[in-house]
Amino acid sequence: SLSENQNKTGTRLAKSRSSGTLNKRSMPLKKSASAHRRGGLAGTDSELLSEDNLDEHIKDYPTIDIGSARELVDFCNSTGDILENSDDWEKRIKALKDLRGLMFCGVDHFKEFKQSVNGLSRALEKCVKDLRSQVVREACLTVAAMSTEMNNAFGPLAEKLLTPLFSQLLINVKVMNVSAHICCRRIVTCTQYSKMVPIICDSVLKSKSAMCRKRCAEYIELIFQVWDVNIISKNLSILEASIKSGINDADSETRTFSRQTYWLYHEYFTKNAENMMKTFDTSKQKMLRETKLGKSGSSTPASNTLRRGTKLGPGSSATLPKPPSISKSTPGAPKSTASSPANDKMSAADVRRQRRERSQTQRIGGVIKSKSTVLSPSLDSRRGSGGTSLGVKKSKSGVLRGDRDARSTRQSKEGVCVCVWVWVCVCVCV
């Protein structure tokens, strides 16, 4: 009976193989390419966003025709309703592309434009936190396009979208976290809004995720590279705390970004940065100096330098780059070959000392020569009134200094002798 059962099973398997109807459980499951296109899976590397291809992907939008402010308000209301309430993810992707086309159809001159766009905050927040990678990708592209076109006017909406974007940085799906990161970088680059800074700094100070702390430390470095100093100075205290926390962070990449940010901060607020340096231990200070030496060889980007004429707010200690000092050359002084400030000061002191010694020598020289003339009157008589002694230099007026001093000495001596002779005569007469 056992052999009969084995024969029956063998015949059944042979028939099923010949007919091609094997049991579905015995066949391996294959992921279809249509599942990738539907957005159910993570997607391929070609769909990943980057700084290079972001503008190229933003241009993928339909043409929108808006002729009046009423049409603009109706369009924003209908788009927001689809993004919030529709369960069809394909309709939501189409609505996001339409919203992206709205940014480039020239309707920003309407007064209702900013209010209508800001009313889409809840709809965009829901799309950014969606579970489908393709919806998140299109939402990040749309938010990046809005930040690019609206610039600082996008600030109130960006403030509400940063937190859900940061939550996508923790997702393991590459399309979602990379799209959120590129979107955040575009927002920080194009929109300078002071209320965004505390949200970014809080993630560095309080987030338990190393990835989130690293990304936010990168955004803080971008703020110091791109933003105006007046906006940075409004949140200076929390920026200082985030830089200090990032330098002491457990993650190595977060520490690297924070050390680079420190030297950008040092360019703008030198005194505050030097005080912060004193709070670090020796190893941290050494790493900071090594980071500076590593960056000194590379050219500083133009966005990192503080423009002249920038007015700073009260209480800030930013300093403008100082022009090179020009040392005035003194005629007759030896030229200094050293270029350090200490050597310049020493050379100036030497010049002053040589001047004093030269003037004292000139003053003393006349007295010494006059004494020598008194001790040797015969030499003066032989030399005559127009003669000159060896080693005596002519003055600027052309009169011999030695002869002039000798004549004045003889005259004073003759006067003294006359006075003494008169006094003796008076005494004798009395």
Side-chain angles (χ1 to χ4, degrees):
S1 61
L2 182 61
S3 60
E4 290 177 0
N5 291 333
Q6 289 177 353
N7 292 333
K8 288 179 182 179
T9 4
T11 53
R12 285 195 198 119
L13 286 173
K15 288 179 181 179
S16 61
R17 284 172 184 168
S18 60
S19 60
T21 58
L22 283 175
N23 191 0
K24 292 183 180 180
R25 293 180 181 178
S26 62
M27 295 182 63
L29 295 175
K30 294 184 179 180
K31 298 178 182 178
S32 61
S34 60
H36 288 276
R37 289 193 295 269
R38 287 197 302 266
L41 298 177
T44 60
D45 291 339
S46 62
E47 296 178 351
L48 293 177
L49 299 181
S50 65
E51 293 285 346
D52 298 330
N53 63 12
L54 178 61
D55 294 327
E56 210 176 301
H57 286 291
I58 285 177
K59 294 177 183 178
D60 182 17
Y61 58 85
T63 304
I64 305 298
D65 187 13
I66 301 292
S68 64
R70 183 63 184 173
E71 292 180 2
L72 172 64
V73 173
D74 293 341
F75 177 84
C76 291
N77 291 336
S78 61
T79 303
D81 184 61
I82 294 173
L83 295 178
E84 275 193 83
N85 303 320
S86 177
D87 294 332
D88 190 354
W89 61 271
E90 292 181 347
K91 286 184 179 179
R92 279 181 282 157
I93 288 180
K94 184 180 181 302
L96 287 169
K97 290 184 177 181
D98 292 341
L99 183 58
R100 195 157 66 241
L102 180 68
M103 297 293 109
F104 301 97
C105 68
V107 294
D108 52 349
H109 62 279
F110 291 116
K111 295 181 180 179
E112 295 82 1
F113 175 72
K114 292 181 182 179
Q115 183 178 359
S116 301
V117 170
N118 290 333
L120 298 172
S121 58
R122 286 190 303 173
L124 290 173
E125 184 177 350
K126 184 178 179 181
C127 291
V128 167
K129 295 191 298 184
D130 200 273
L131 298 179
R132 289 187 177 271
S133 62
Q134 291 301 314
V135 176
V136 174
R137 179 178 177 274
E138 290 297 328
C140 292
L141 279 173
T142 304
V143 172
M146 295 169 74
S147 176
T148 304
E149 289 300 309
M150 297 177 66
N151 295 328
N152 295 346
F154 185 68
L157 191 55
E159 180 187 0
K160 299 175 183 178
L161 294 176
L162 277 181
T163 302
L165 284 170
F166 289 168
S167 65
Q168 293 295 343
L169 296 175
L170 312 178
I171 304 299
N172 292 328
V173 181
K174 196 172 183 180
V175 171
M176 299 169 76
N177 59 44
V178 170
S179 300
H181 171 56
I182 297 300
C183 180
C184 289
R185 282 189 60 90
R186 178 56 62 92
I187 291 174
V188 173
T189 304
C190 297
T191 305
Q192 300 184 16
Y193 191 63
S194 60
K195 293 184 179 179
M196 292 163 46
V197 177
I199 301 174
I200 299 174
C201 293
D202 283 341
S203 298
V204 178
L205 295 171
K206 301 177 182 179
S207 178
K208 296 181 180 179
S209 170
M211 174 62 71
C212 189
R213 294 197 306 271
K214 179 185 73 172
R215 294 302 190 192
C216 291
E218 181 180 352
Y219 305 149
I220 293 174
E221 182 188 9
L222 192 60
I223 286 174
F224 276 94
Q225 289 177 351
V226 178
W227 283 27
D228 186 37
V229 185
N230 292 323
I231 304 177
I232 295 176
S233 60
K234 293 179 182 179
N235 300 278
L236 195 58
S237 58
I238 193 169
L239 284 169
E240 289 177 354
S242 61
I243 293 172
K244 187 183 296 186
S245 176
I247 292 175
N248 295 316
D249 197 86
D251 183 63
S252 60
E253 296 184 9
T254 305
R255 294 195 300 270
T256 302
F257 281 120
S258 298
R259 285 194 294 267
Q260 295 171 359
T261 308
Y262 172 83
W263 290 112
L264 296 174
Y265 170 72
H266 187 276
E267 292 180 6
Y268 293 163
F269 308 97
T270 306
K271 293 182 181 179
N272 297 349
E274 290 175 354
N275 293 334
M276 185 191 297
M277 175 73 83
K278 296 176 183 177
T279 61
F280 298 130
D281 55 9
T282 309
S283 60
K284 297 288 191 304
Q285 293 181 8
K286 182 180 178 182
M287 292 295 293
L288 281 170
R289 293 190 181 94
E290 288 177 356
T291 304
K292 182 182 180 181
L293 292 175
K295 291 178 65 177
S296 62
S298 60
S299 59
T300 306
S303 58
N304 292 355
T305 58
L306 188 64
R307 293 187 293 271
R308 287 191 174 273
T310 305
K311 297 182 179 179
L312 303 180
S316 61
S317 60
T319 56
L320 290 171
K322 297 180 180 179
S325 60
I326 303 174
S327 59
K328 296 182 179 180
S329 59
T330 305
K335 295 183 179 180
S336 174
T337 56
S339 61
S340 62
N343 292 335
D344 294 340
K345 292 180 181 178
M346 290 175 60
S347 61
D350 292 339
V351 170
R352 289 193 295 270
R353 182 171 51 79
Q354 290 176 4
R355 286 180 179 176
R356 286 196 301 269
E357 291 177 356
R358 192 182 300 114
S359 61
Q360 290 175 2
T361 305
Q362 291 174 356
R363 287 196 299 270
I364 295 171
V367 178
I368 295 174
K369 290 166 188 173
S370 64
K371 291 182 179 180
S372 63
T373 306
V374 173
L375 292 175
S376 57
S378 59
L379 180 62
D380 292 333
S381 61
R382 287 196 304 270
R383 186 177 58 209
S385 59
T388 58
S389 61
L390 295 176
V392 179
K393 295 183 179 179
K394 287 187 177 182
S395 62
K396 292 182 180 180
S397 60
V399 182
L400 293 175
R401 188 183 301 273
D403 294 342
R404 184 174 57 199
D405 294 339
R407 284 196 298 270
S408 62
T409 306
R410 285 196 298 270
Q411 291 174 1
S412 61
K413 187 176 180 181
E414 290 174 358
V416 171
C417 291
V418 170
C419 292
V420 171
W421 182 78
V422 171
W423 182 77
V424 169
C425 291
V426 172
C427 290
V428 169
C429 292
V430 172

